[in-house]
Amino acid sequence: MDKQPPHPADRHDLIRVHGARENNLKDVSIEIPKRRLTVFTGVSGSGKSSLVFDTIAAESQRLINETYSSFVQGFMPTLARPEVDVLDGLTTAIIVDQQRMGADPRSTVGTATDANAMLRILFSRLGKPHIGPPSAYAFNVPSVRASGAITVEVGNKKAVKATFNRTGGMCPRCEGRGSVSDIDLTQLYDDSKSLDEGALTIPGYTPGGWNYRLYSESGLVDAAKPIRKYTKRELHAFLHHEPTRMKIAGINMTYEGLIPRIQKSFLAKDKEGMQPHIRAFVERAVTFTTCPECDGTRLAEGARASKIKRISIADACAMQISDLATWVRGLKEPSVAPLLTALQLTLDSFVEIGLGYLSLDRPAGTLSGGEAQRVKMIRHLGSSLTDVTYVFDEPTIGLHPHDIQRMNDLLLQLRDKGNTVLVVEHKPETIAIADHVVDLGPGAGTAGGSVCFEGTVEGLRTGGTVTGRHFDDRAGVKDTVREPTGTLEIRGATTHNLRNVDVDIPLGVLAVVTGVAGSGKSSLVHGSLPHGSGAAGEDVVSIDQSPIRGSRRSNPATYTGLLDPIRKAFAKANGVKPALFSANSEGACPTCNGAGVIYTDLGMMAGVSSTCEDCEGKRFQASVLEYLLGGRDISEVLAMSVTEAVEFFGAGEASTPAAQRILARLADVGLGYLSLGQPLTTLSGGERQRLKLATHMGEKGGVYILDEPTTGLHLADVEQLLGLLDRLVDSGKSVIVVEHHQAVMAHADWIIDLGPGAGHDGGRIVFEGTPAELVAARSTLTGEHLAAYIGA
């Protein structure tokens, strides 16, 4: 029988990239097989994200946007075409990244997935007493009652009286937020003084300023009388008066009470974006307490009273998801059978992916980057779409070796549905399951950006690249461990899921806290350790992966204080003032105000930034760029990587010891590839943490707490990090690390293992001792994985 030639449509089984030059990529050309799992590896800063996210995924999204009508496109951000000659064979890209989820208080794990929507339908069908449609169980929908006349067009038009009711589930007191804010009046004013004596103590309300004169010259209150002597009417006019237009000091102004004004100007804004002194005031003056009416459940009384088998929707959302899955399995109701099956699948996905310890009412903003990425994955696991490209950014972050196995299964499951899966990853356990590997490098920054290897995992092992050489690296357990110099005592810790934990954390050594995801590690270290001053009188410095407070203008040079010595060196060499060399001060390009980009805010959609045409993204006025130091202008210095800058400021005309010290610390923590002027908003969680570590290393802190410092680190860089941790301990510091990486565990002097499971199955200390004892005992999941890792 003749063999049929393949159908023309089946020939397109490659994504072809030709001549990619985005960021540090050096004319990269590769072919990626479709419907396979491809892993991109390489040292941090080698160009993995530039290739996968900024080239392939970005172009896919741009092309999708172009399929909409020009009317719709008018409302969408115009995405620039990536720097690449040919991109062929693309499919729709779905990006599952580690961006934290929105911190809106009404966004929860349940609302971010479909679980809440399905539960609401379930309760509206089966809940007793019946209170209304699914919206009656939604804490994002307020109840509305309205009455009036409507005109019904039947023959002769005639008005008919009608009443409208919409039953929502939102608690009227806290408006679905679960907590109410209370303002501490003693933080707003000193009631023993009069307004004339400067009673107000709010930032920005200085005597003589407009904010102050609004009250002192309004005529509604006696400005010469101490506030504590105000009558009830005066106090109401001062604190709660509704907005009213009136003439104050000869100018038409809107007068309103102090409390609504504070709520609008301070409380409606995101706390993270505030200046430090204003944030400190808000933290002092505003106390958030659980809403007394709904008891923090966010739901109105009716929604809390309606139950299925004695469980209300609030109880269901507060359950651990693994328990909720069991409860749903027990509901046998033929009328909603398809719904129960779908809900069951979603809840089982949570458990499968290792998030069974969460509850649906957990605020989405409190999830870690790795948890947020896994919650986003759940949406796609049940998706009917096939032949799409899924792009993952280190999906194993924050996962114990035990959970990585599950994550691998999910990635393979997505591939087997006929999708192309692209994963940027450092962990050998995940690289091992790849059908195809692309290794970028050989170095970071300008030393990277080339393809060093593409092929199978076996080929990578023998390929001689940096990743290949380190692929089978195994850190051995230390023969001798350091002796502790003291202990930090934790007694009766009960934060989140901890079960009355008593533990002594040794000081003066490298102590590692480990355990499966959700076992209570962060709760123990961040919730129970005294911050500020430790038990032994030591200063505790906690360094985590939370976003660094700062705007798009902040960069490693401004954050670490490196810009000061650089500005002074430029000013001294050219005989001008230092302020000219700051993009946030006099030297800034007037068109983009020194940001280097023009940022267009598109309201409810993602904003879009385009490079400033006047300064070409250099951020400075042209006249400033005429001043040189060691033959370079300030924009060229800010474009240098840390490694280049170490050489530049180390010798010759540009020699600056103060800058050299800070740069050496940045290189120490493995950030040699970062450019000095890279906006902080573009750094990954692990990079942020290492930047904070570099900044804190010069401080006097005695106890350092690190939260997964190996995040985003290549196998080769982990050795450098271990060397750094050793140097910290040898210089007399105590280092406590929350970590899953077996190399860090093996290197520890003392291990504290939490478990045995996650959520309410965890929260106990299952082992404390040296790594050698943990391997010998093999009594815990961590012990088994560590033993397998070192080949014991």
Side-chain angles (χ1 to χ4, degrees), residues 13 71 85 149 213 344 463 494 550 578 593 616 625 659 686 700-701 723 775:
D13 49 8
F71 173 73
D85 296 334
R213 291 173 68 185
Q344 188 66 59
T494 53
N593 292 328
E616 295 174 353
L625 300 180
K700 296 279 179 284
V775 169

Side-chain angles (χ1 to χ4, degrees), residues 448-461:
S450 306
V451 173
C452 301
F453 171 83
E454 45 179 329
T456 61
V457 179
E458 278 316 305
L460 176 72
R461 275 198 164 102

Side-chain angles (χ1 to χ4, degrees), residues 329-352:
R329 207 170 268 120
L331 297 176
K332 297 280 185 275
E333 188 59 53
S335 62
V336 286
L339 175 68
L340 285 173
T341 310
L343 179 58
Q344 188 66 59
L345 274 172
T346 303
L347 296 175
D348 286 345
S349 305
F350 272 102
V351 179
E352 255 178 59

Side-chain angles (χ1 to χ4, degrees), residues 21 37 79 97 122 177 269 303 391 435 457 506 516 522 565 569 666 733 749 758:
R21 295 177 298 280
L37 175 66
L79 301 169
D97 60 14
L122 185 68
R177 286 188 167 87
K269 295 188 179 129
V391 186
D435 301 307
V457 179
V516 294
S522 299
L666 285 169
K733 315 272 192 214
D749 297 308

Side-chain angles (χ1 to χ4, degrees), residues 230-280:
Y230 280 4
T231 61
K232 248 189 182 155
R233 180 173 289 173
E234 277 182 312
L235 200 59
H236 182 270
F238 176 50
L239 292 178
H240 302 289
H241 203 287
E242 54 283 348
T244 314
R245 292 292 286 172
M246 58 197 292
K247 230 185 189 87
I248 298 175
I251 296 168
N252 282 331
M253 294 172 82
T254 300
Y255 176 91
E256 68 179 321
L258 191 59
I259 286 181
R261 198 164 173 183
I262 293 282
Q263 280 172 327
K264 278 179 199 158
S265 58
F266 291 133
L267 303 193
K269 295 188 179 129
D270 178 22
K271 223 161 57 175
E272 293 302 313
M274 293 176 176
Q275 292 167 295
H277 70 287
I278 292 180
R279 189 169 54 244

Side-chain angles (χ1 to χ4, degrees), residues 39 79 203 239 268 283 294 308 387 426 567 596 625:
V39 173
L79 301 169
L239 292 178
E283 282 166 357
C294 66
I308 303 174
D387 241 336
H426 291 296
R567 278 199 309 236
L625 300 180

